[in-house]
Amino acid sequence: MKKWIFILLSMGLTACVYNDEPVIYSQLTKDDLSYLHYNKDTFISTGKDVVYKDTLNYILNNIDTLNITVTTKIYSIYDNPFFTYYKSISGRSLISFNKSTGFNYANILVSRLGNRNSEKFFEIDANGTWGYSKQYFSIDTFTLDTALVLGKLYQNVYKFYPPEEGKSDIRLIFFAKKYGYIKIEKLDGTKIELIDRSK
């Protein structure tokens, strides 16, 4: 019992020491924001969550046009309960599809702690089967490329080709900075492609 009282008192004293410290918020860079669906090139975190929604147009199998909502949330979190004056920042853009399309969702998460390099996590879920995620690759091993999708040439594209022998039923994923997921194709030929809004 004395041990628990000592631990609780130590925690309380530690918290008191840092209560007067100014809160330091990690910030997403312009490059970090280019991975998210967000309508600005800059964002200054003050600890308040920000939610931004947009509509993207995709074409399914070269036939059906899909109007899909993408929801982006940017938020700060405490990194250590004993040092509550320091917060990291994360941004997540989630595209939710109707399951009848053969896809559930596409997700991108960008996370940054202090001045460290940000981490990016890519995730596709096709009808309950994990398609591709950070577990399978490091973004540092990929080089940016170009990709032609529905007549538009995209720059700064990551091209992911999940191994067929894995659990994935995804053939390819194209992700372009400033646009997000521009093409996702399954092994059975089902595909969605982003329609360029400027046309």
Side-chain angles (χ1 to χ4, degrees), residues 10-196:
S10 297
M11 289 174 61
L13 288 174
T14 304
C16 291
V17 169
Y18 293 103
N19 272 346
D20 294 333
E21 294 287 335
V23 176
I24 300 170
Y25 297 99
S26 296
Q27 302 294 332
L28 294 176
T29 65
K30 182 177 180 178
D31 184 66
D32 293 336
L33 290 170
S34 71
Y35 289 84
L36 302 173
H37 287 279
Y38 188 62
N39 62 343
K40 297 177 184 176
D41 286 336
T42 60
F43 176 81
I44 304 299
S45 176
T46 59
K48 293 182 181 178
D49 293 355
V50 171
V51 176
Y52 173 74
K53 291 191 177 188
D54 196 5
T55 301
L56 299 176
N57 298 314
Y58 285 93
I59 192 162
L60 176 66
N61 298 327
N62 295 322
I63 299 171
D64 299 319
T65 301
L66 309 173
N67 297 317
I68 307 294
T69 299
V70 55
T71 302
T72 297
K73 182 177 180 181
I74 301 175
Y75 53 96
S76 295
I77 58 173
Y78 289 114
D79 295 307
N80 186 321
F82 298 107
F83 300 98
T84 57
Y85 64 93
Y86 195 83
K87 289 188 174 184
S88 65
I89 189 166
S90 293
R92 180 188 302 271
S93 290
L94 176 65
I95 304 169
S96 297
F97 298 98
N98 185 312
K99 289 187 179 182
S100 65
T101 64
F103 300 92
N104 284 343
Y105 65 82
N107 186 42
I108 173 70
L109 173 69
V110 179
S111 185
R112 178 178 288 275
L113 170 60
N115 294 325
R116 297 179 189 172
N117 290 335
S118 60
E119 294 184 294
K120 286 96 177 168
F121 301 88
F122 299 84
E123 188 176 57
I124 303 292
D125 186 36
N127 280 354
T129 302
W130 291 106
Y132 215 69
S133 73
K134 174 72 170 170
Q135 299 173 33
Y136 299 101
F137 67 90
S138 168
I139 197 171
D140 296 332
T141 64
F142 287 83
T143 56
L144 292 170
D145 199 355
T146 59
L148 186 65
V149 176
L150 297 178
K152 178 177 174 64
L153 183 64
Y154 291 89
Q155 306 291 328
N156 299 315
V157 177
Y158 289 103
K159 295 180 176 180
F160 306 121
Y161 300 94
E164 290 187 27
E165 65 272 9
K167 295 180 180 179
S168 172
D169 58 356
I170 302 292
R171 174 178 287 132
L172 63 85
I173 301 164
F174 289 175
F175 182 95
K177 291 168 69 173
K178 296 188 178 180
Y179 294 93
Y181 292 99
I182 57 173
K183 183 174 182 177
I184 305 169
E185 185 173 342
K186 296 170 66 174
L187 293 174
D188 65 7
T190 304
K191 64 181 177 180
I192 53 172
E193 296 170 288
L194 183 68
I195 299 173
D196 180 19

